[in-house]
Amino acid sequence: MTQLTRVELRRILSRKIVHLSVLAILAVMAVTFWGLWQSVQPQSAFEDDARAQFELMHEDWEAQQEFYDEEAVAQCLQDQADERERMGDDSIEFGCEWPEPVLEDVLAGYEAPSMAALYQTQLLQTGVLVFLLVLLGGSTATAAELSHRTLGTWLTFEPRRDRVFGSKVLASGLIAIPITAVLLALILGGIPLLYRIRGVDDAVTAAHWADIGWMSARVMALAVVLGMVGAAAGLLVRHTGAVLGIAAGYVLVVESMVRGLFPDKVKYLLSENLTAWVNDGTEIRNYVCDDGFSGECREVVTHISLEHGAVVLGVVSLVVIVVSWLSSGAATCPDAPPPYAVWPPWSRRPTFAAGLDGWPRRVGVDGLRSNGTRTRRMGGRPG
């Protein structure tokens, strides 16, 4: 199957969808870095803006001191303490006190984002684009052959369905590696360059680099799996538009309904598990109202681990690939013999032909059709 995979890789690389995917990544990253260029600046560039904002905030604070009520503030602090005790969360803040504004605090709001945090944000946000592109590329690589009925030509080279199916799915996964590598190279190399050009000093520790490296590896692995899932889905539903329609319908309908009607099942949604896989775990915060009339609600935090995300995504991907493999008939239909096999003149060789779906179907034996009529081979003996 190695030779089949190499041939399939050359075929996919010649398709425009691969080139368009790389161009799409370059375009999105250009817009992304333009936005980062505006936000990643030294604090000295915002000193005038921060001072003007500080003066406005201080004037407002002085005006509000006329209405300062110590009893109201004391009652507010008591309510805040009661709520913290009831919820078991010391981070709850009612904003009872308004301290005097300080220029340093205002200027800190203009500080450039941390490079490590920026890495994690960009790897997840732009990684979603790569996931969609490889899913689309994998589905169109296989569905196009079925739509144009060119799979029969491929089957004359290798009629065995399981090998053809495996080579196409594997090649679609491998082709996701260079596409994802373009994204990772732009992010991992572009962000430090941007900080250096802007003159912002934000060192990344060795521990952060290790986390970023593992995060990049998980993005690459998921892209490979989604490329394989896209190819299998293309063979299953036989049309790229159907694959995109199913994906869009799931995001718009299933995820919205589960979040609204079954908040306790959110941890099984693909989007949340994708985030957990890329970010090494994630948290989902929902508010549950035990008594809707009183308006008292409590916050429920659901933690999704990396392992949980891997299991959910792995099971869904495996189901799609196995169902596609079974629907292709590779698991149940006997393999067709290779076209170069040497058959003795007295043998009754099984005859295979491409069906309407592009996969080979057994139609009878050489010399005798299924309807009982005799056949004659070109350059061979009758029947």
Side-chain angles (χ1 to χ4, degrees):
M1 197 175 71
T2 304
Q3 183 180 3
L4 289 176
T5 305
R6 288 199 299 265
V7 174
E8 184 68 17
L9 285 173
R10 289 196 295 267
R11 185 187 71 85
I12 296 177
L13 286 173
S14 65
R15 295 178 59 84
K16 292 182 178 179
I17 185 64
V18 178
H19 308 150
L20 294 176
S21 298
V22 175
L23 291 178
I25 292 175
L26 294 176
V28 170
M29 291 308 301
V31 176
T32 300
F33 277 112
W34 172 254
L36 295 178
W37 179 268
Q38 306 298 324
S39 60
V40 178
Q41 296 187 38
Q43 287 184 338
S44 58
F46 302 101
E47 188 172 353
D48 295 338
D49 295 338
R51 189 174 297 278
Q53 183 180 357
F54 164 73
E55 293 176 355
L56 292 176
M57 293 175 60
H58 200 275
E59 292 178 0
D60 192 13
W61 178 82
E62 291 179 346
Q64 293 295 329
Q65 294 305 307
E66 300 179 1
F67 306 99
Y68 184 80
D69 188 351
E70 294 183 357
E71 295 182 0
V73 172
Q75 182 62 38
C76 179
L77 292 174
Q78 182 62 38
D79 295 340
Q80 175 180 287
D82 296 341
E83 184 67 16
R84 289 180 176 180
E85 183 179 358
R86 188 178 72 86
M87 298 296 298
D89 186 2
D90 294 336
S91 63
I92 296 177
E93 183 65 44
F94 283 4
C96 303
E97 297 177 313
W98 188 5
E100 182 178 1
V102 181
L103 178 60
E104 287 72 14
D105 295 339
V106 178
L107 189 60
Y110 290 90
E111 184 179 4
S114 170
M115 188 185 299
L118 194 60
Y119 268 126
Q120 295 178 353
T121 302
Q122 294 302 318
L123 283 175
L124 177 60
Q125 293 180 352
T126 56
V128 173
L129 170 65
V130 174
F131 298 153
L132 293 176
L133 289 177
V134 297
L135 184 67
L136 172 63
S139 62
T140 188
T142 54
E145 286 191 288
L146 292 173
S147 299
H148 298 288
R149 296 188 178 182
T150 59
L151 190 58
T153 304
W154 180 270
L155 292 170
T156 60
F157 173 69
E158 174 54 73
R160 291 174 173 83
R161 302 185 187 196
D162 53 350
R163 293 189 177 185
V164 172
F165 178 88
S167 65
K168 291 185 176 298
V169 171
L170 180 59
S172 296
L174 294 177
I175 209 67
I177 295 178
I179 296 177
T180 311
V182 173
L183 170 74
L184 297 178
L186 291 174
I187 294 179
L188 298 178
I191 291 180
L193 181 61
L194 178 63
Y195 273 73
R196 176 167 297 185
I197 294 176
R198 277 301 199 180
V200 178
D201 186 13
D202 188 6
V204 179
T205 63
H208 287 155
W209 278 120
D211 294 339
I212 294 170
W214 282 111
M215 188 175 184
S216 302
R218 291 193 296 270
V219 171
M220 178 72 74
L222 184 56
V224 172
V225 172
L226 289 180
M228 298 173 64
V229 171
L235 291 173
L236 179 62
V237 301
R238 308 179 188 279
H239 201 282
T240 306
V243 176
L244 296 179
I246 293 174
Y250 170 80
V251 173
L252 298 177
V253 179
V254 177
E255 296 237 349
S256 300
M257 291 181 60
V258 171
R259 293 180 190 277
L261 301 178
F262 309 100
D264 56 329
K265 305 297 183 182
V266 174
K267 62 180 180 180
Y268 297 108
L269 293 178
L270 295 181
S271 61
E272 299 294 346
N273 286 276
L274 185 149
T275 304
W277 167 257
V278 175
N279 284 345
D280 192 9
T282 186
E283 289 184 349
I284 307 174
R285 298 180 179 272
N286 294 319
Y287 289 91
V288 178
C289 299
D290 299 325
D291 187 359
F293 295 98
S294 62
E296 294 184 358
C297 302
R298 54 187 176 88
E299 184 182 29
V300 178
V301 180
T302 303
H303 178 74
I304 302 179
S305 63
L306 170 66
E307 293 76 12
H308 185 277
V311 169
V312 172
L313 295 177
V315 169
V316 174
S317 301
L318 184 62
V319 167
V320 174
I321 294 175
V322 171
V323 171
S324 178
W325 178 62
L326 293 175
S327 68
S328 69
T332 56
C333 183
D335 290 335
Y340 47 79
V342 178
W343 294 85
W346 59 83
S347 66
R348 298 171 62 83
R349 189 175 78 177
T351 303
F352 290 79
L356 296 178
D357 58 354
W359 293 100
R361 303 295 179 187
R362 183 169 180 171
V363 296
V365 294
D366 189 22
L368 183 65
R369 295 193 181 95
S370 299
N371 58 4
T373 59
R374 309 292 294 178
T375 63
R376 180 185 297 274
R377 289 199 305 264
M378 295 295 294
R381 64 178 179 83

